[in-house]
Amino acid sequence: MARATPGKKRKAGNGHNGTTTRRESMALRRTQTEQTGEADSMPPARTMSPADQRRPVKGRLIIIGGHEDKESERLILRQVTNCARGGRVVVCTVASDVPGELWEVYEHAFRDLGCSDVVHLDIERRADLLLDPPLQLLDGADVFFFTGGGQLKITTRFAGTRLCAAVEEFYRRGGTVAGTSAGAAVMADTMLVSGTSRESHKIGETLQMAPGLGFIRDVIIDQHFAERGRIGRLLGAVAQNPRFIGLGIDEDTAVVVEREEHLTVIGSGAVYVADAEDVTYTNVAEEERERTLSLFNVRLHVLSQGDNYDLRTRRPSHEFAKAVEKKIARTEERHHQGEAHA
């Protein structure tokens, strides 16, 4: 709620002196604005509330916008492999209609990148997972990877089971959970399931949202973002839920989220961050359904490889793209040296 700060009353200036005073004041404000640095032009850092505190997370999320490179530089999958540290990678194809085909693709990719322990988890029916949850798959695992497909298949077959709880505990204790396409959307506590793409959002258009797996809070994730023209529906989603950060992730692009505190972008595309927390007006609840969405004072950041975003203060920062590639290469080199000495 906006709050006015009381002050002493002043008489309004009249005539030439009042006009001069106003002009001088306006000129001073313009000068101050022109001299303001980049850091000062940002909104004030977001104050953390007690509700922002919850059980600490030690793990990492790798949230991929889909269609990541599997044959050339494979930067994103190399990052996933580096997180395995020589341990097990569990590939979960529950979202897919062709789980066998996807398993072959990812098994080949991860083994070719140096992972010797790659296992497959396919869930055809929730009842099978309830009767005999394969908790042993997490023994010695470093990465749990969700493939693409349909995100509702992941939540309806996997969410709320003992294995899901075990994966969340694995993540909180330091494991890496990665997901691409549908596997990216389910990472949030609220996931965007469907909505119209490639046009401005209309108030009456249905945005189907559903509970996700909740590995990251207060975020809505949309994938295949620029390729499918989804800016309108992401803005529609944050207009309805202003406390959420909207993350639109392009194909062959990922965000690496550390400890649920900050993220770094890797890959060839962009990540669009829509922050509606300080929105001053939207017509989403006031106009006829066929009206186009209005949204005032929404912040939109466009991040590319090397850029960072602090999820607590909602501020972006920059690092050169080449630095990210060098870090991944150095990590790979350390792994190879460790294997050679083993």
Side-chain angles (χ1 to χ4, degrees), residues 46 189-193 201 207-210 217-221 233-247 274-279 282 284-285 293 295 298 314:
R46 183 171 178 257
D189 47 6
T190 299
M191 65 179 183
L192 182 55
V193 178
H201 183 69
L207 289 176
Q208 183 184 359
M209 287 184 270
R217 298 171 304 163
D218 298 345
V219 168
I220 295 176
I221 298 164
R233 77 178 197 176
L234 186 67
L235 290 174
V238 297
Q240 294 181 24
N241 303 274
R243 72 183 177 88
F244 289 169
I245 296 170
L247 289 182
D275 180 3
E277 189 175 50
D278 293 328
V279 159
T282 178
V284 71
L293 173 72
L295 195 61
V298 63
R314 300 195 176 198

Side-chain angles (χ1 to χ4, degrees), residues 60 80-88 115 141-143 174-176 335 339:
R60 176 187 294 110
V80 175
T81 302
N82 286 345
C83 293
R85 300 185 298 271
R88 172 174 291 175
C115 291
D142 285 323
V143 174
T176 296
H335 287 170
E339 292 171 359

Side-chain angles (χ1 to χ4, degrees), residues 291-310:
R291 297 289 184 187
T292 300
L293 173 72
S294 294
L295 195 61
F296 294 0
N297 206 39
V298 63
R299 288 195 294 275
L300 181 66
H301 306 289
V302 183
L303 312 180
S304 63
Q305 181 166 292
D307 293 336
N308 301 279
Y309 187 79
D310 191 312

